[in-house]
Amino acid sequence: MADDFSEPKRRGCIVVIAMDGSLHSQHALEWYIENMHVKGDKVILVHCPEYKSLVNSPYLTTDPSKASELANEEERKIKEMFADWKEQIKRTEIDGCVVRTSGEPGRAIIKIARGEGADYIVMGSRGLGTLRKTFMGSVSDYIVHHAHIPVTVVRNRDEDNK
């Protein structure tokens, strides 16, 4: 009788994919679909808004109406991203959803993964240099060191780095 050395079939898993609206996170989602997804997986796209235009705005302390305008613009962009992600899930026939969370992104993503009973986390890499990572931190670095499950950090495509 011949031994069967074929790879075992992987059961459907719960996979959290961190999405921040960047090309890097979009690439991570595409990589997951092309290389890891199997029928039966449940995919949870997690977004943790950082409101960068508000945080970096000189108007935040001087003009309340401008701060409100910037917040409304951020919300419009978030709704647009969510609609795009939901359409991509539907188009690729993936069992999935989009979840919005708040707080520090690394901690928030891990909290969602724990709460959902996730088996994997997939995320993009922004490729911060050592100096920037030291001062700003890195969401992917935090998740790799604190997650309770395997994490795949998808490196950027060469054309995304130019």
Side-chain angles (χ1 to χ4, degrees):
M1 181 161 33
D3 289 327
D4 183 12
F5 290 106
S6 61
E7 291 190 30
K9 298 260 185 206
R10 179 170 69 79
R11 65 173 176 79
C13 293
I14 299 173
V15 181
V16 165
I17 303 178
M19 300 296 290
D20 65 3
S22 69
L23 287 174
H24 309 290
S25 64
Q26 182 62 38
H27 174 61
L29 173 58
E30 291 167 2
W31 180 90
Y32 164 78
I33 292 168
E34 293 168 9
N35 297 286
M36 194 174 170
H37 181 72
V38 297
K39 190 172 179 98
D41 282 357
K42 178 182 179 190
V43 177
I44 304 166
L45 304 183
V46 178
H47 179 68
C48 186
E50 296 182 85
Y51 298 98
K52 293 176 186 132
S53 67
L54 278 174
V55 173
N56 297 326
S57 173
Y59 298 108
L60 187 58
T61 57
T62 60
D63 186 353
S65 65
K66 185 65 175 176
S68 177
E69 184 182 312
L70 290 171
N72 289 337
E73 178 62 18
E74 287 282 341
E75 284 301 315
R76 186 195 63 73
K77 288 178 184 176
I78 290 167
K79 287 178 182 174
E80 190 175 284
M81 286 187 304
F82 271 49
D84 290 345
W85 295 333
K86 287 176 182 177
E87 175 58 32
Q88 188 168 9
I89 287 171
K90 183 179 176 183
R91 186 178 61 250
T92 55
E93 299 179 352
I94 289 176
D95 175 17
C97 62
V98 182
V99 174
R100 179 180 182 158
T101 189
S102 61
E104 187 180 322
R107 288 177 193 228
I109 292 163
I110 289 174
K111 184 177 180 181
I112 294 287
R114 277 191 194 280
E116 295 290 336
D119 299 292
Y120 298 101
I121 298 173
V122 177
M123 61 187 313
S125 169
R126 287 194 175 180
L128 295 178
T130 306
L131 186 60
R132 283 187 64 200
K133 194 182 299 183
T134 300
F135 289 111
M136 296 173 51
S138 164
V139 175
S140 59
D141 187 58
Y142 181 88
I143 291 174
V144 164
H145 287 93
H146 293 88
H148 61 292
I149 54 176
V151 178
T152 299
V153 179
V154 180
R155 297 290 303 164
N156 307 329
R157 293 181 185 134
D158 288 338
E159 62 266 19
D160 292 345
N161 290 323
K162 293 180 182 176

